[in-house]
Amino acid sequence: MVWLKQKSVIAFLIFVVSLCFLAYVYQRTGDQSEEAEAQFVTGKHRNGAKSEQTRAEYVTGKPYVYDDEVDFRVIVITYNRDQSLMKLLRTIDELELDGDTAALEIWIDVNKEGLFHNKTVSEARSFRWKKGPTRVHIQTSHAGIYGQWIDTWRPRDRDSKELALILEDDISLSKYAYRWIKAVHRTYGSYPDFAGSSLTSDEQKSHDGSFRVLHRPKNETVFMYKCIGTWGFSPRTSMWADFQDWYHEHSTKKDFHPYVPKIVTTEWYKSFEASGKADSMWEQWFIYYAYKEKLFTVYNNLKTVNGDDKSCLCINRREVGLHVGSKGREDYCSLLDTWKDEFVSFPDRITRLDWNGDAVEKY
């Protein structure tokens, strides 16, 4: 009987130890799951989380038309750089809108498995813009840099007065960026060769391969250049709709290549094609379209006008990303923080620059 009692006690102890072990394993599994949820992609895209606005029928790959119309729409495109995103949003919060209506649209891409970066989504949803509504959109499937750039804003009609500014998340803005953009569109919006305006400021270089600094005299506050500047681009409304239609038609043609002769971006694009990474350079398609349509982009010349490195309408922080393997410099220029009306005293006869930076009469 004593032996049986001892056996029962041993069995009971084994049972208790087993329960404790299972509880420990369960807890560790939960901990590991929580750790996994803190990694790169943590959430499967679900219905109802597509967009925090009324148009839930959005489908990746189709240009998006918003229900409302405002004077100024800021389009922020991001993927997994939550800290960089917040740096950008803080500068957007300080924009001077001069009484105009505005909306902020934050577009977050998912990876090829349909997963999103949880921290980026969380940070985006926590932000509330002081100047207008903030809406967070999560792509329904992987859009890539092409879809994020090309399809996240389409004007309601060709005559829409709404201005849009498309920004990647590694940009920081001067609070006077919109004031300058609005003046550019007001002055040159009716010019048939006007593609849009770029906030690119800290590096303005030619694309003929020489990489000459684009330069105009001190008395010229702006100039036109053949190549788009993607560091803060505000497209002309009707042109952007036409480009979207053209792109979606030609991108399905396997034998079509957007090569522009004698410029370095074409060589970059060809190298991306050879390595299977052509889907990382959307701007080559716009460069080709502008070449075909003979269009120019307007840039500011404020660093020369002011004779300093404190006059940038935006800076690129050169964060690690699609084309940057390690953190780059962001101190080439400081953001413009003092305004003078002469900054938007634009000439009717604006100087147009060729690929090499030389002035030309026309494309």
Side-chain angles (χ1 to χ4, degrees):
M1 292 294 293
V2 174
W3 178 81
L4 289 174
K5 287 181 178 180
Q6 289 176 337
K7 188 175 180 180
S8 298
V9 170
I10 292 171
F12 177 73
L13 291 174
I14 292 173
F15 175 72
V16 171
V17 170
S18 298
L19 286 178
C20 292
F21 177 74
L22 289 173
Y24 170 77
V25 171
Y26 179 79
Q27 181 180 4
R28 286 296 299 153
T29 302
D31 291 343
Q32 290 171 358
S33 297
E34 290 178 2
E35 289 172 3
E37 288 181 357
Q39 298 303 313
F40 176 58
V41 285
T42 64
K44 185 72 175 176
H45 189 39
R46 299 177 177 87
N47 291 333
K50 294 176 183 177
S51 172
E52 294 185 359
Q53 69 169 44
T54 56
R55 298 202 52 175
E57 71 273 15
Y58 171 75
V59 176
T60 298
K62 182 179 179 181
Y64 192 85
V65 180
Y66 296 87
D67 286 335
D68 59 340
E69 189 168 47
V70 291
D71 297 315
F72 183 48
R73 194 177 304 276
V74 183
I75 310 294
V76 171
I77 58 177
T78 187
Y79 178 42
N80 67 343
R81 298 188 295 204
D82 51 284
Q83 294 183 21
S84 183
L85 171 64
M86 294 310 294
K87 289 179 182 179
L88 167 60
L89 294 179
R90 283 192 286 270
T91 65
I92 290 174
D93 217 21
E94 300 304 316
L95 282 174
E96 296 285 352
L97 298 183
D98 301 323
D100 287 352
T101 59
L104 172 61
E105 318 290 346
I106 304 172
W107 286 84
I108 304 173
D109 200 8
V110 298
N111 68 9
K112 292 181 180 179
E113 287 71 46
L115 303 173
F116 58 76
H117 187 246
N118 193 54
K119 184 66 172 175
T120 300
V121 171
S122 176
E123 292 282 31
R125 286 176 171 166
S126 71
F127 183 79
R128 292 294 179 269
W129 195 24
K130 295 185 295 187
K131 307 298 175 71
T134 305
R135 289 177 284 235
V136 177
H137 313 261
I138 302 175
Q139 292 282 3
T140 56
S141 60
H142 181 62
I145 195 67
Y146 279 60
Q148 287 278 81
W149 260 97
I150 297 172
D151 293 330
T152 49
W153 176 72
R154 184 176 176 90
R156 293 179 64 83
D157 57 69
R158 291 177 55 84
D159 297 323
S160 172
K161 302 301 181 183
E162 179 175 288
L163 298 181
L165 173 63
I166 306 172
L167 298 162
E168 295 186 22
D169 63 21
D170 57 355
I171 300 297
S172 291
L173 296 179
S174 162
K175 61 183 178 180
Y176 299 117
Y178 172 61
R179 188 175 292 174
W180 183 84
I181 289 170
K182 181 180 178 181
V184 170
H185 282 267
R186 182 175 61 241
T187 304
Y188 302 112
S190 62
Y191 286 37
D193 60 352
F194 173 62
S197 62
S198 173
L199 297 176
T200 301
S201 304
D202 49 354
E203 283 192 312
Q204 300 172 334
K205 296 183 178 181
S206 68
H207 292 73
D208 63 328
S210 68
F211 302 107
R212 291 170 51 191
V213 174
L214 302 178
H215 179 72
R216 295 307 304 154
K218 189 179 179 67
N219 64 338
E220 296 184 27
T221 53
V222 289
F223 59 86
M224 280 183 166
Y225 183 51
K226 285 185 175 181
C227 193
I228 182 180
T230 58
W231 297 350
F233 182 60
S234 178
R236 178 162 60 100
T237 303
S238 59
M239 180 283 306
W240 192 246
D242 290 342
F243 166 67
Q244 289 172 324
D245 294 341
W246 174 88
Y247 167 76
H248 282 289
E249 176 186 351
H250 287 76
S251 63
T252 60
K253 300 177 180 178
K254 294 183 179 180
D255 59 343
F256 178 81
H257 301 275
Y259 299 158
V260 177
K262 300 180 180 180
I263 62 169
V264 71
T265 65
T266 297
E267 301 310 311
W268 295 340
Y269 186 79
K270 288 180 178 179
S271 69
F272 284 138
E273 284 184 319
S275 61
K277 297 179 180 179
D279 60 354
S280 69
M281 193 177 172
W282 82 272
E283 57 265 48
Q284 183 63 26
W285 289 80
F286 187 86
I287 291 168
Y288 179 89
Y289 181 78
Y291 164 75
K292 180 179 73 75
E293 297 294 326
K294 298 179 171 30
L295 302 175
F296 290 84
T297 295
V298 172
Y299 290 74
N300 76 86
N301 192 37
L302 294 181
K303 286 201 300 181
T304 299
V305 170
N306 291 330
D308 61 29
D309 289 324
K310 301 178 182 179
S311 302
C312 283
L313 291 172
C314 84
I315 59 171
N316 185 309
R317 287 181 269 103
R318 296 165 179 82
E319 307 283 359
V320 175
L322 196 60
H323 296 135
V324 180
S326 60
K327 179 71 173 72
R329 289 178 55 185
E330 55 182 84
D331 61 350
Y332 289 101
C333 186
S334 300
L335 294 171
L336 180 73
D337 63 0
T338 301
W339 182 258
K340 298 179 181 178
D341 288 341
E342 64 192 59
F343 294 162
V344 290
S345 178
F346 300 148
D348 292 332
R349 186 176 175 81
I350 186 172
T351 300
R352 294 165 172 81
L353 301 184
D354 205 346
W355 294 112
N356 62 4
D358 290 341
V360 292
E361 288 297 319
K362 57 183 181 179
Y363 205 107

